[in-house]
Amino acid sequence: MEALQYPIGRFEAPTAFSDAQLKKYIDDIHYLPQLIELAVQNLDEFQLQTPYRPGGWTVAQVVHHLADSHMNAYVRMKLALTEDNPIVKPYDERAWAELPDVTNTPTNVSVTLLYALHKRWVAVLESLSADDWNRSFVHPASGTTYSL
């Protein structure tokens, strides 16, 4: 089940980033909405409502989750840039995936949201100074301090 849940493995954050690596990550954020749009644009409703693994979320839930997750990441980044080591609010991803806005809203709405959100996110990321990258926040669920 682990291989189905994490097909490319669990994420391991690098301890340091080169300028080239940061640019690649920012490019990934820039192009993700287009890649998601291309991945789902020809899927019918049956396909969108199909779980990607046994017991997993449907394709539609994953698309809506990306919007939810990235909104939270963007807000956490902005908090870290404007406050000293803020404690961010966790959210129940599974519960969010069951809310009516996920079950009743077409995926193209979340894809459109991703385009707008990622445009803003990239604008902030491209403007960060070396000191800004050292800003941090605390995630209370783990007690871990994360740097931008």
Side-chain angles (χ1 to χ4, degrees):
M1 189 59 83
E2 175 91 4
L4 291 174
Q5 189 172 6
Y6 301 99
I8 62 172
R10 288 184 180 263
F11 175 73
E12 291 186 32
T15 56
F17 301 96
S18 67
D19 288 343
Q21 188 63 52
L22 285 174
K23 179 166 179 9
K24 183 192 176 312
Y25 288 152
I26 293 169
D27 284 348
D28 288 347
I29 291 169
H30 179 274
Y31 292 109
L32 181 86
Q34 182 180 8
L35 295 172
I36 297 301
E37 180 179 35
L38 291 171
V40 300
Q41 70 184 357
N42 292 319
L43 299 181
D44 61 29
E45 193 57 29
F46 177 79
Q47 292 167 312
L48 288 169
Q49 297 308 320
T50 300
Y52 74 97
R53 66 175 170 84
W57 287 343
T58 66
V59 174
Q61 284 174 304
V62 171
V63 172
H64 293 304
H65 168 71
L66 284 170
D68 291 342
S69 173
H70 292 194
M71 284 188 289
N72 275 281
Y74 176 72
V75 167
R76 289 171 178 172
M77 182 193 70
K78 300 268 284 199
L79 288 169
L81 288 169
T82 60
E83 300 177 18
D84 290 328
N85 205 33
I87 297 173
V88 297
K89 177 142 179 35
Y91 69 103
D92 185 340
E93 296 172 355
R94 186 165 306 283
W96 282 39
E98 300 295 330
L99 290 172
D101 66 310
V102 170
T103 56
N104 299 328
T105 304
T107 56
N108 69 313
V109 173
S110 282
V111 170
T112 300
L113 189 138
L114 284 169
Y115 271 106
L117 176 62
H118 281 226
K119 185 83 168 161
R120 293 275 309 272
W121 201 358
V122 167
V124 172
L125 290 168
E126 290 180 338
S127 73
L128 296 181
S129 69
D131 286 341
D132 290 335
W133 287 106
N134 292 319
R135 305 279 306 179
S136 61
F137 65 87
V138 177
H139 196 289
S142 64
T144 304
T145 298
Y146 294 95
S147 294
L148 295 183

